[in-house]
Amino acid sequence: MMARSPDIGFIPTPNDALDAMIDLAGLTACDRVYDLGCGDGRILIKAVQHAECRGVGIDIDPVRIAEAQQLARRAGVDDRLRFRCQDLYQSKFQDATVVFLYLLPHLNLKLRPRLLAQLQSGARIVSHQFDMGDWICDRRLQLSASEEESTLFLWRTS
């Protein structure tokens, strides 16, 4: 049972955006990747397959967490991924070197203080579609592909 209702409904990230987010993050095997609002866990599964890193997905919806765990098992990467059914605004993720987001602008802004408080200097944050207000990104990437147009944002913490 969920502690509270999700802030937004689940909208899967397009596959081309998943690949571009992973590339933009510059993942290595040393990274600890978090997906806040992980949904079905696809970006973490692809990240682990791409860079052999480790990851943690956090989502408030237990149905999505179960789906993510099942997909990770099928992909053979469940030994490198953990999924937590938690409120991401209450979660701890201070060991993250990379954080993936696909949240609405007001939710990104709500999360921003927690990101800055918890993440070590040099951590990367990659957001699909939405920025973080006046926080100037280190890189912005516009994708025009067959699935849908996407904008990706990268920030590095200091």
Side-chain angles (χ1 to χ4, degrees):
M1 187 169 162
M2 287 183 267
R4 63 177 180 79
S5 297
D7 292 307
I8 56 174
F10 173 61
I11 301 170
T13 303
N15 286 320
D16 59 333
L18 291 177
D19 293 334
M21 290 173 76
I22 289 167
D23 290 342
L24 187 59
L27 294 181
T28 70
C30 297
D31 279 314
R32 180 76 166 186
V33 182
Y34 277 67
D35 184 4
L36 304 182
C38 68
D40 62 8
R42 288 180 311 123
I43 194 164
L44 288 172
I45 292 166
K46 279 191 166 213
V48 165
Q49 290 170 331
H50 174 81
E52 297 186 8
C53 54
R54 296 196 170 277
V56 177
I58 298 172
D59 202 292
I60 200 163
D61 187 340
V63 172
R64 293 292 170 216
I65 291 296
E67 181 181 14
Q69 290 168 329
Q70 183 179 39
L71 290 173
R73 265 192 307 279
R74 280 190 203 150
V77 295
D78 56 318
D79 61 324
R80 289 181 278 166
L81 292 175
R82 299 291 170 258
F83 294 96
R84 298 187 206 153
C85 187
Q86 295 178 338
D87 181 335
L88 62 95
Y89 300 103
Q90 307 284 323
S91 297
K92 294 188 184 331
F93 44 83
Q94 64 271 12
D95 61 332
T97 57
V98 175
V99 173
F100 289 121
L101 303 172
Y102 185 14
L103 303 171
L104 293 173
H106 72 282
L107 300 175
N108 278 359
L109 288 175
K110 181 179 174 182
L111 186 60
R112 181 175 155 184
R114 291 189 62 78
L115 291 165
L116 293 172
Q118 289 193 43
L119 297 176
Q120 298 295 316
S121 180
R124 287 106 60 209
I125 302 161
V126 178
S127 175
H128 176 238
Q129 293 296 63
F130 304 111
D131 64 14
M132 291 208 208
D134 62 355
W135 189 8
I136 297 171
C137 62
D138 292 279
R139 187 155 175 226
R140 179 182 170 141
L141 181 63
Q142 190 70 39
L143 302 177
S144 296
S146 59
E147 289 185 67
E148 73 178 50
E149 286 191 23
S150 296
T151 303
L152 305 180
F153 300 88
L154 169 72
W155 296 268
R156 288 184 184 274
T157 58
S158 52

